[in-house]
Amino acid sequence: MNSSEEIAVSGMSAGRSAMRMGPAELVQAAAMARRFYLEGKSKIQIAEEFGVSRFKVARVLETALERDLVRIEIRVPAELDAERSDALRARYGLRHAVVVESPADAEDSPDPENLGEVAADLLGELVEEGDVLGLAWGRSTIHMAAALDRLPPCTVVQLTGVYDAGTAERGSVEAVRRAAQVSGGDAHPIYAPMLLPDAATAAALRNQTGIARAFEYFDKVTVACVSIGSWEAGISTVHDMLSDEERGHYASLGVAAEMSAHLFDAEGRRVGRDLGERCITVKADQLRRIPEVVAIAGGQRKAAAIDAVLRSGLVTSLVTDTSAADSLMTAGPTPKPALSRADPDGS
């Protein structure tokens, strides 16, 4: 995931300007540059080896760069777009933004599978031993868990119920199990649907022993992984679970996005809060207190929804693709920095 630096140290072929240095100077400069850039020695160590002052070593290294004796290239894997990533991070005030090249044949498809692979690598960097990792329902989260190959020992907890209890084995429950298996830590899955018929049924389920035990970990989560959905069929799990009448009701409130069964308008304000009373999910204020919340979402069709959720301040980091990133960079006024974690609607 990190950028890698390629250091090319050459000698007599360093170019016309470098040839103005005498042969002895060239050889010494090349040797010092090799010690510093390739072998990781300090300027003081190099000075002691060559019997000169560290100030001379600094001048030689500076001259080697100026005269093209040393060339430094910053390179990232081809599938990562470093420029877009940095621009997106700065625009939204994110802690991390990783932009992946959109597949040529699926630029408009939501959540390309390669997002999950990159997110898995990112979690491998962010999660530390002893952390509590929270995973919310989402296709991208499931893809991420399947791609995990390294995690330090940590506890893994499910943050939402499942889309359909009948799919638990291959859905978010399996994602939690997979992450715990990779890390060697404890797993706390939730065997319950995300959306219930009414608030009373949801409250009763929350009090069941296994579910209550998972809920006890919500305030201890240090890193969370969530998905984002647009308010349209096939791109929002919650949208698909509701009746036509309910969809119309929430649409009338200006819903533009959903994340973990929380609804947001285009400005990132939460709307339709009554829905949460019927859902098995982590609360928005609990998400806001989690130090690192990584959202995985991409595709041009999801760009407006991603923008809305980022404006909410609930997310600190984002893994997305170039298709969504290009839309996000022109999505209205520059938003308030996410790292302030301020609640835009004051709740």
Side-chain angles (χ1 to χ4, degrees):
M1 295 294 302
N2 291 330
S3 300
S4 61
E5 296 185 0
E6 179 177 285
I7 313 298
V9 180
S10 56
M12 299 302 290
S13 60
R16 181 176 299 176
S17 59
M19 286 303 294
R20 295 173 184 170
M21 301 172 68
E25 291 177 302
L26 272 173
V27 170
Q28 185 183 68
M32 288 183 176
R34 189 174 298 279
R35 303 289 194 280
F36 185 73
Y37 290 109
L38 299 183
E39 299 175 12
K41 292 188 175 181
S42 69
K43 293 174 184 176
I44 293 177
Q45 289 175 313
I46 297 170
E48 291 175 351
E49 178 182 348
F50 287 88
V52 298
S53 71
R54 62 184 177 90
F55 301 105
K56 179 173 181 179
V57 173
R59 287 196 301 271
V60 169
L61 293 174
E62 183 178 350
T63 300
L65 284 171
E66 290 175 351
R67 300 193 176 185
D68 206 24
L69 184 64
V70 173
R71 298 176 185 176
I72 300 176
E73 297 179 4
I74 308 299
R75 304 174 65 183
V76 297
E79 69 271 17
L80 300 184
D81 192 310
E83 184 175 350
R84 283 185 174 93
S85 297
D86 189 54
L88 200 60
R89 179 201 56 76
R91 174 175 170 79
Y92 286 92
L94 298 168
R95 186 171 290 118
H96 304 283
V98 183
V99 178
V100 183
E101 284 290 339
S102 302
D105 58 347
E107 289 192 355
D108 293 334
S109 298
D111 301 340
E113 289 193 21
N114 60 342
L115 294 186
E117 298 170 2
V118 174
D121 285 344
L122 179 61
L123 280 189
E125 291 183 56
L126 299 180
V127 176
E128 298 180 353
E129 184 172 350
D131 275 348
V132 177
L133 171 62
L135 300 182
W137 160 265
R139 297 179 184 89
S140 57
T141 307
I142 293 169
H143 291 153
M144 179 278 299
L148 281 172
D149 59 10
R150 63 184 177 100
L151 273 180
C154 65
T155 299
V156 186
V157 60
Q158 193 169 323
L159 296 179
T160 64
V162 298
Y163 173 56
D164 181 339
T167 66
E169 290 303 314
R170 58 183 183 276
S172 48
V173 169
E174 180 57 31
V176 170
R177 287 175 173 169
R178 167 65 182 168
Q181 180 185 30
V182 172
S183 73
D186 293 333
H188 295 277
I190 294 177
Y191 295 95
M194 181 189 295
L195 180 66
L196 282 304
D198 52 63
T201 304
L205 274 178
R206 292 189 198 105
N207 289 326
Q208 289 188 358
T209 303
I211 297 174
R213 187 177 298 116
F215 269 56
E216 289 174 357
Y217 278 92
F218 286 3
D219 288 326
K220 303 174 185 178
V221 173
T222 50
V223 181
C225 191
V226 300
S227 297
I228 295 172
S230 300
W231 198 245
E232 58 179 299
I235 309 187
S236 164
T237 300
V238 173
H239 178 282
D240 291 349
M241 287 191 288
L242 295 173
S243 67
D244 289 341
E245 182 180 354
E246 289 170 324
R247 291 169 191 156
H249 165 67
Y250 291 117
S252 71
L253 300 179
V255 175
E258 66 92 359
M259 178 182 69
S260 302
H262 300 294
L263 310 181
F264 305 87
D265 68 11
E267 299 301 318
R269 295 182 291 258
R270 287 182 58 217
V271 296
R273 296 176 185 233
D274 60 305
L275 181 65
E277 298 175 5
R278 297 168 50 194
C279 292
I280 302 297
T281 185
V282 62
K283 295 179 180 178
D285 61 345
Q286 290 175 313
L287 278 172
R288 199 178 300 280
R289 292 194 295 269
I290 296 173
E292 185 75 76
V293 179
V294 180
I296 312 171
Q300 193 168 6
R301 292 175 64 188
K302 275 197 176 184
I306 297 169
D307 176 64
V309 172
L310 292 183
R311 289 175 186 273
S312 75
L314 292 175
V315 169
T316 61
S317 298
L318 174 69
V319 177
T320 191
D321 66 343
T322 52
S323 179
D326 288 342
S327 295
L328 289 169
M329 290 306 298
T330 58
T334 301
K336 177 168 31 177
L339 293 185
S340 69
R341 308 306 292 278
D343 191 335
D345 53 5
S347 63

